[in-house]
Amino acid sequence: MTMMKAVRCARTLGAALAIAATALASPVHAQEAPDAMVKRVSQDMIATIKSDPLIQAGNEARIREVIEVKLIPHFDFMRMTALAMGKNWRSATPEQQKRLSDEFKTLLVRTYSGALAKYRDEAIDYKPLRMNPADTDVTVRTVVMKSGGQPIPMDYSLTKGADGWKVFDVVISGVSLVTNYRDEFNEQIKSGGVDGLIKTLSDRNKGVAAK
Amino acid sequence: MNAQLRLAVAAAATVLLAGCAATPSKVDPLEPMNRALYQVHDVLDTNIVKPVAEGYVSVVPQFIRTGFANVFNNIDDLFSAVNGLLQGKTEKAGNDLGRVLTNTMLGLGGLIDVATDLGIERGNEDFGQTFAVWGFPAGPYLFIPLFGPTTVRDGTGVLVRIALGPVSYISNVPVRNSIYGVGYIDLRSQALEGGSIVDTAALDRYVFIRNAYLQRRRYLIYDGKPPPEPEEEQ
């Protein structure tokens, strides 16, 4: 083998390795650490909110669209709904479970977009994450700093799935979104069964006011 | 911190005496009465308090509102230090004391929250939490019109807090009531955003508010690290 050939060969090999590495890393976020994911997604959301003229004008439809594209893929709504349902989850058919998690998702998106529409200039402080490599459930702690207001702790519970870490609860100032719904869901199921709960959720999502 | 608060707590006592209602749940044995009181509150709040608070926000510039809130918070921080000590949490009490000294001296008597900018965290301790740490049970959940969600233990804590002043020591009644009034409206104005979120999120606002309140108190009692509640999943 001549010198030239060896160099060319090494180059080809190098290029192939580079391509292979890129290919391996291409589901870039699958191997991403949970705290890095929370940071990346929230910073991306903030950048979008700040730069999008429609959102700045308070266009909630646009905000919802951005949430659908940027946030929703990072949430595990089945697990979230199962947690909020508690023991009632098992008594629901797979079809009911699907409808419940869809309606719950819509409700949370509406709530979250309402909150984001009021977003001004809050900064987020990300607390260091302590976790073992084997952990499959972790909590990422952040603090939202409002200028002229008190800092608000916001914690994300994440679970490790086949396609990366997914959020299954958000705890704001100690109030868990999922836990907060447990009694409400229970109450609805007691009076109208699982279908009653589905109907209440879908009515709320159609804009019917809560009692 | 407001004048109606006394009335509200007096009402709470009455409710307690009358509390021989049916027992729907362990945390909220007085639910039927609380729901009725919540309805009263909702009417008063929607028609009077909330519009006034919204007017306050639109008329009074942000920096003045922040200043008011900071002065009230500064006094609360002093009480937080006292309660930190009563619970043996010396480090927290030290932080709170440091906050009060910093904000009073460097922050124009508490108008500017310099301490938060310096990264000194608020202890957020109060008498209700102290009673909890001392082992008193929470007692029934209560919903008091114009005051909001509380429990017998927390309500008692608020009563103690108000009695200790300093506003209650102001002998000029109009001045004292004005301070209570501004403090009340300022507090309500801070909850406006949260209120609109509850309106969207809740299936039943009464239950939503009760759960959020009880979760929040539990979180505060355990200094942000509450032990996991028994999970019902699967």
Side-chain angles (χ1 to χ4, degrees), chain A residues 79 82-83 86-87 89-90 107 110-111 114-115 118 122 127 141 145-151 153 155 171-188 197 200-201 204 209-211, chain B residues 24 27 31 35 38-39 62 66 69-70 73 99 113 116 121-122 190 192-193 196-213 215-216 219-220 224-226 229-234:
Chain A
R79 169 125 188 229
L83 271 170
K87 58 183 185 319
W89 184 246
R90 274 171 304 169
L107 182 67
R110 289 180 73 232
T111 305
K118 297 187 181 71
E122 289 88 345
K127 302 287 179 196
R141 297 183 195 282
M145 320 288 272
K146 284 180 93 170
S147 68
Q150 291 304 317
D155 299 341
V171 182
I172 304 164
S173 295
V175 179
S176 147
L177 204 54
V178 165
T179 312
N180 224 51
Y181 277 105
R182 201 169 279 162
D183 283 0
E184 288 195 274
F185 280 15
N186 224 334
E187 191 184 72
Q188 296 289 333
L197 173 61
T200 307
L201 282 169
R204 286 296 283 122
K211 56 172 176 170
Chain B
V27 285
E31 183 168 341
R35 277 192 185 269
Y38 176 74
Q39 296 303 326
Q62 169 84 61
T66 305
N70 285 344
N73 286 344
R99 283 183 56 88
D113 187 355
T116 294
E121 282 182 36
R122 297 190 79 191
Q190 292 174 39
L192 286 172
E193 266 182 38
S196 69
I197 290 172
V198 172
D199 288 343
T200 324
L203 304 180
D204 177 341
R205 285 186 291 164
Y206 172 82
V207 179
F208 196 92
I209 292 169
R210 180 184 69 199
N211 288 348
Y213 177 79
Q215 276 201 65
R216 169 77 182 153
Y219 174 85
L220 287 175
K225 294 171 198 72
E229 284 183 273
E231 264 191 47
E232 287 186 86
E233 189 194 11
Q234 309 298 315

Side-chain angles (χ1 to χ4, degrees), chain B residues 74-94:
Chain B
N74 195 35
I75 299 168
D76 274 341
D77 285 344
L78 183 61
F79 280 97
S80 177
V82 170
N83 279 294
L85 284 178
L86 289 174
Q87 297 169 39
K89 296 170 184 165
T90 45
E91 199 186 318
K92 264 186 130 182

Side-chain angles (χ1 to χ4, degrees), chain B residues 20-163:
Chain B
C20 309
T23 316
S25 79
K26 265 186 277 178
V27 285
D28 193 5
L30 307 175
E31 183 168 341
M33 193 169 332
N34 280 335
R35 277 192 185 269
L37 291 171
Y38 176 74
Q39 296 303 326
V40 172
H41 167 87
D42 201 36
V43 171
L44 293 173
D45 188 70
T46 310
N47 295 299
I48 304 167
V49 183
K50 195 176 162 213
V52 172
E54 283 166 346
Y56 171 79
V57 171
S58 63
V59 171
V60 182
Q62 169 84 61
F63 77 96
I64 295 183
R65 284 184 280 126
T66 305
F68 275 138
N70 285 344
V71 169
F72 289 115
N73 286 344
N74 195 35
I75 299 168
D76 274 341
D77 285 344
L78 183 61
F79 280 97
S80 177
V82 170
N83 279 294
L85 284 178
L86 289 174
Q87 297 169 39
K89 296 170 184 165
T90 45
E91 199 186 318
K92 264 186 130 182
N95 271 351
D96 279 325
L97 213 53
R99 283 183 56 88
V100 175
L101 292 174
T102 309
N103 286 341
T104 306
M105 295 193 298
L106 303 177
L108 306 176
L111 275 169
I112 307 167
D113 187 355
V114 187
T116 294
D117 294 338
L118 291 175
I120 313 176
E121 282 182 36
R122 297 190 79 191
N124 278 324
E125 294 291 350
D126 54 47
F127 287 103
Q129 293 176 61
T130 299
F131 297 153
V133 169
W134 287 355
F136 289 99
Y141 171 79
L142 300 168
F143 196 98
I144 316 287
L146 298 176
F147 175 68
T150 189
T151 59
V152 172
R153 184 173 66 200
D154 291 339
T156 310
V158 172
L159 270 186
V160 171
R161 164 71 184 80
I162 291 174

